[in-house]
Amino acid sequence: IEDISLIGGEPLLAKNFYDTLSRLEHVFGPVAKDKNYLGLTLVSNLNASEKVFSKFLKHAAKLSNLFSIKVSASTEACGGRAEYIRFGLSWKNFVRNTEALLNSGIENLVFSFQTTINSLSISSLTSLIEFAIDLETKFNHSVHLKFNVVNSNPHLSPRILTEDFKFYLDQAMGLLHKKNRVDLKKSKQNNWETFAKHLKNLRDQLPAQPSEPHLQAARKMFYNYIKDHDLKRKTTFEKTFPEYKDFLSLCKETLRAP
């Protein structure tokens, strides 16, 4: 065994999660003398209450003597945009828990933002990267970026976006390259350049050709998804994502297509 992963639903709220952490400490404690740390990976939305997250931090501090603690926080955006994309998320909770974790002094902690790039998150990447840089500066702790992209839901695939969204990818890649150059001068390793390469590959796929199968259907689904989201959840897409105004109008036009 090299790594143990605790992933979704939401592990921090799972009924037996903390019993599992206690069991891991009991089972692996006797064999940890060589300090050849195993990895213990947690993927979380970090949306737990302060009380619940404090409980996790206490367990993580003990387990850090046995494991390399790898926490991947799920987000692709910041603030109200993150709350819109991941409905139910409290950005206040996310920031509080992220800062508590990075300020905890837990040894062997590897922290990442686990992104799932989608049709709503492209224009928010720069603010997320800036947030990661601010965290690194404030807590003197590396923040890694992990890349994933939506493929299974056509209307949430970033590949349905138009040419003008390349601007946001260029902006994000420029910031990543700049950050990477600074880190290289400090002999500091990160995976930001790898993240930039993933964004470059995505950029090269934009825009999809109008003749591409299912493109118009996906854009129609996008428009209906947004309107349904706003109606049921009392949100306002145009207020949260004003730069999508033209794209939303384009998607609306698909409703008239036969």
Side-chain angles (χ1 to χ4, degrees):
I1 299 175
E2 295 182 356
D3 192 275
I4 298 172
S5 295
L6 304 172
I7 58 178
E10 175 47 49
L12 295 179
L13 301 181
K15 182 178 180 181
N16 297 320
F17 176 66
Y18 298 98
D19 288 340
T20 299
L21 296 184
S22 297
R23 182 64 177 165
L24 288 173
E25 184 180 355
H26 175 74
V27 170
F28 287 94
V31 298
K33 296 179 181 180
D34 59 0
K35 295 296 181 182
N36 186 20
Y37 296 105
L38 298 172
L40 180 62
T41 298
L42 172 73
V43 180
S44 170
N45 60 23
L46 296 191
N47 196 34
S49 68
E50 188 172 5
K51 180 180 179 180
V52 168
F53 199 71
S54 295
K55 184 177 182 180
F56 165 69
L57 290 179
K58 291 178 182 178
H59 279 277
K62 294 179 181 179
L63 288 165
S64 67
N65 294 317
L66 312 175
F67 295 91
S68 172
I69 308 294
K70 305 174 184 179
V71 177
S72 294
S74 302
T75 190
E76 307 77 31
C78 299
R81 292 166 178 252
E83 292 177 341
Y84 191 104
I85 294 170
R86 293 180 177 268
F87 189 78
L89 171 71
S90 163
W91 183 248
K92 180 180 179 181
N93 285 0
F94 185 93
V95 173
R96 182 196 64 229
N97 292 335
T98 297
E99 292 189 343
L101 178 63
L102 294 178
N103 196 41
S104 65
I106 292 174
E107 297 181 5
N108 307 313
L109 173 65
V110 179
F111 181 74
S112 306
F113 285 145
Q114 176 64 67
T115 68
T116 302
I117 306 302
N118 58 77
S119 54
L120 295 174
S121 68
I122 294 297
S123 58
S124 304
L125 286 170
T126 297
S127 61
L128 179 65
I129 296 165
E130 290 172 340
F131 178 50
I133 293 172
D134 289 344
L135 288 171
E136 285 200 344
T137 301
K138 183 175 181 179
F139 296 102
N140 192 30
H141 196 291
S142 294
V143 177
H144 301 282
L145 299 174
K146 293 184 177 181
F147 182 91
N148 196 5
V149 64
V150 172
N151 289 309
S152 57
N153 295 311
H155 63 292
L156 293 178
S157 169
R159 297 180 180 91
I160 71 170
L161 297 173
T162 47
E163 178 85 21
D164 48 314
F165 283 89
K166 287 185 175 182
F167 165 79
Y168 301 105
L169 291 169
D170 289 337
Q171 193 177 44
M173 286 187 292
L175 186 54
L176 289 167
H177 293 321
K178 180 179 179 181
K179 173 66 165 56
N180 190 59
R181 289 194 296 270
V182 171
D183 285 352
L184 286 175
K185 289 181 180 179
K186 297 180 181 179
S187 298
K188 180 180 176 182
Q189 293 186 350
N190 62 49
N191 67 338
W192 292 45
E193 196 64 28
T194 300
F195 193 84
K197 290 178 180 178
H198 286 303
L199 294 185
K200 172 64 166 55
N201 290 337
L202 177 58
R203 184 194 186 281
D204 291 343
Q205 298 175 44
L206 295 182
Q209 297 302 312
S211 59
E212 187 171 318
H214 312 303
L215 176 61
Q216 297 307 310
R219 287 176 173 172
K220 181 177 180 180
M221 289 172 62
F222 178 87
Y223 181 83
N224 289 331
Y225 169 79
I226 294 302
K227 291 305 173 182
D228 188 59
H229 187 292
D230 286 352
L231 179 64
K232 291 181 178 179
R233 297 172 175 174
K234 310 301 181 184
T235 51
T236 308
F237 178 76
E238 290 90 342
K239 183 178 179 180
T240 307
F241 300 91
E243 69 279 10
Y244 277 73
K245 180 180 179 180
D246 290 343
F247 180 71
L248 190 64
S249 295
L250 175 66
C251 293
K252 185 177 181 180
E253 289 297 317
T254 63
L255 301 179
R256 302 178 182 178

